[in-house]
Amino acid sequence: MKRKITLKQIAKELDVSISTVSKALRNSIEISEDTRQKIQAFAKLYNYRPNNIALSLKNRKTKTIGIIIPEIVHHFFSKVITGIELVANKRGYNVIVGLSNESFDKEVINMQMLANGSIDGFILSIAKETLLQQDYHHFTETINQGMPIVMFDRVVNEIPCDKVIVDDVKGAKQAVEKLISNGCKNIAIISTKDYVSVGKLRTQGYLEALEDHKIDPKASLILKIEDKLMSDDHLDKLESEVEQLFQSNKSIDGIFAVNELYAVTAIKVARKLGLKIPDDLQVISFSDGVLSKHSTPSLTTVSQHGQKIGEKAANLLINRLEAEEVDYNDETEEVYETVIIETNLIERESTKN
């Protein structure tokens, strides 16, 4: 994407305040007609397009980072926030956390509110409803207005920004290969619907592992859950769907779950059906959180290293915020970085050694 001119750059070029530029572009009578015409002509020349995300009119940095996460109770997201705060505090920045609750509308409102002079840039993981709707205008508008974004975990390739991810395909493949090497012949996967990027990628890793070992995948062994915020009704529905998976496939001897809640639910249902873990059924989960360590038996997991993800995301954003301003006449493409954090398998009691 070609570099976009910002309010700040117009102000600097014409030697006026950002507030003056903003008012002139809105045709405010507070600004003289001559200044309005000059600013509007300059903005038109460089194809400046204002948008409906209200960004700061202050010609100064807030030294604050906005974090938008889908849910607060998830151990992974809390570890990411810890990593962001460590780096931000060390480099003289504060953080503000906003919660989307997996809602598109709340994600947009959070960004509008925080972008209104409160923060300098965003670190975020996309809400599931946003991924389902595939409406990313609020990200594009924010970036085009000169406010950088770093995405982590759930990202979309269409948005030109820095990203921090794990190799979901590789991590899932490693988990399923562990089950295969332990003698599992009928391995099921419990995943989110494919519109959630990490669920789709982890399912891909599951299928690749089966293919590499000449095991034909069975549709009946692939359970896709409509993942929503946790409630008693949702947890009951999850348990019911997992039980149906077992009832329809009596020969299941391995489970790969894309998150630890699904894995713990599978263990609960399996034990209710009289299966012993790991003798009759072995289970591996993506995401190494509190549930994994304290479940009975404890869960073998693929660790995502949430704190490392947060630290890297914070450094990427602050480095971009503190980089020297570029020439908006520069026709070269903006260069963005996608950092991949390595996962590793942590073996516990839910698999055989």
Side-chain angles (χ1 to χ4, degrees):
M1 177 177 288
K2 183 180 175 182
R3 300 183 192 280
K4 301 290 184 179
I5 191 171
T6 66
L7 287 175
K8 184 176 180 180
Q9 289 168 326
I10 297 174
K12 184 176 180 181
E13 179 67 22
L14 299 181
D15 195 25
V16 295
S17 70
I18 292 177
S19 178
T20 296
V21 173
S22 178
K23 290 175 181 177
L25 292 176
R26 287 186 282 114
N27 221 27
S28 170
I29 59 173
E30 294 179 46
I31 309 302
S32 71
E33 184 177 354
D34 181 59
T35 301
R36 288 204 310 269
Q37 288 179 355
K38 183 169 66 172
I39 291 171
Q40 290 170 6
F42 188 88
K44 185 177 180 181
L45 177 64
Y46 289 100
N47 199 30
Y48 172 79
R49 288 191 178 92
N51 60 69
N52 61 6
I53 291 195
L55 297 174
S56 176
L57 299 181
K58 300 176 183 178
N59 194 8
R60 65 177 179 83
K61 295 291 186 182
T62 66
K63 301 288 282 188
T64 303
I65 293 169
I67 305 171
I68 308 290
I69 57 171
E71 53 181 308
I72 201 67
V73 296
H74 200 299
H75 180 75
F76 168 70
F77 291 122
S78 68
K79 295 298 287 184
V80 173
I81 292 171
T82 297
I84 294 170
E85 283 200 310
L86 281 171
V87 170
N89 293 339
K90 190 180 298 182
R91 298 186 64 174
Y93 285 74
N94 298 309
V95 301
I96 296 176
V97 180
L99 188 62
S100 70
N101 276 332
E102 304 290 12
S103 160
F104 169 80
D105 289 341
K106 287 184 179 179
E107 186 173 78
V108 173
I109 290 167
N110 267 290
M111 291 190 73
Q112 289 176 333
M113 179 179 66
L114 292 177
N116 191 18
S118 301
I119 57 137
D120 299 329
F122 285 102
I123 297 173
L124 60 89
S125 184
I126 305 173
K128 286 173 184 169
E129 192 174 59
T130 304
L131 292 169
L132 178 61
Q133 294 180 192
Q134 297 183 40
D135 184 347
Y136 311 129
H137 77 277
H138 49 309
F139 304 139
T140 302
E141 290 177 356
T142 302
I143 293 167
N144 286 350
Q145 194 74 355
M147 182 170 283
I149 289 175
V150 176
M151 292 181 175
F152 72 91
D153 190 45
R154 301 182 200 157
V155 306
V156 287
N157 294 330
E158 298 95 306
I159 303 300
C161 65
D162 296 314
K163 302 174 179 77
V164 185
I165 57 174
V166 299
D167 191 331
D168 289 288
V169 175
K170 182 179 177 182
K173 195 171 179 180
Q174 182 184 12
V176 176
E177 285 175 341
K178 170 65 178 173
L179 292 172
I180 294 170
S181 69
N182 280 6
C184 295
K185 305 293 185 186
N186 293 284
I187 302 168
I189 179 173
I190 306 175
S191 178
T192 57
K193 299 285 187 180
D194 281 347
Y195 67 81
V196 181
S197 55
V198 294
K200 183 177 182 179
L201 292 169
R202 291 168 194 175
T203 301
Q204 181 184 332
Y206 161 82
L207 294 171
E208 287 184 9
L210 296 183
E211 183 181 351
D212 287 353
H213 289 82
K214 306 294 190 274
I215 300 173
D216 292 329
K218 298 175 185 176
S220 63
L221 292 176
I222 299 174
L223 176 59
K224 297 280 187 177
I225 303 290
E226 185 61 65
D227 199 14
K228 299 177 180 177
L229 287 174
M230 292 301 99
S231 66
D232 289 342
D233 287 344
H234 177 65
L235 291 173
D236 289 344
K237 187 172 186 295
L238 169 63
E239 191 170 324
S240 175
E241 290 188 51
V242 172
E243 185 165 350
Q244 182 58 45
L245 172 70
F246 280 105
Q247 299 287 10
S248 303
N249 300 274
K250 302 288 188 182
S251 59
I252 291 177
D253 54 9
I255 292 279
F256 169 59
V258 301
N259 61 48
E260 58 184 1
L261 175 63
Y262 292 176
V264 169
T265 302
I267 288 175
K268 178 184 177 182
V269 171
R271 294 175 72 178
K272 186 169 74 172
L273 296 174
L275 298 174
K276 295 179 180 178
I277 314 293
D279 296 335
D280 302 321
L281 178 75
Q282 299 183 62
V283 182
I284 297 181
S285 163
F286 223 100
S287 185
D288 184 46
V290 174
L291 288 177
S292 301
K293 297 179 182 69
H294 298 288
S295 69
T296 304
S298 58
L299 264 175
T300 294
T301 61
V302 179
S303 177
Q304 294 171 271
H305 303 294
Q307 185 170 320
K308 285 185 182 178
I309 290 174
E311 290 173 2
K312 187 62 185 179
N315 275 317
L316 282 172
L317 182 62
I318 294 170
N319 288 346
R320 194 166 287 280
L321 289 171
E322 295 184 349
E324 290 184 1
E325 284 191 24
V326 296
D327 180 2
Y328 49 81
N329 288 308
D330 189 352
E331 295 289 335
T332 60
E333 295 286 316
E334 187 79 76
V335 177
Y336 296 103
E337 189 174 354
T338 296
V339 177
I340 299 175
I341 304 295
E342 286 293 320
T343 60
N344 68 288
L345 198 64
I346 299 175
E347 296 186 38
R348 297 195 181 95
E349 297 167 349
S350 66
T351 53
K352 297 175 183 177
N353 294 324

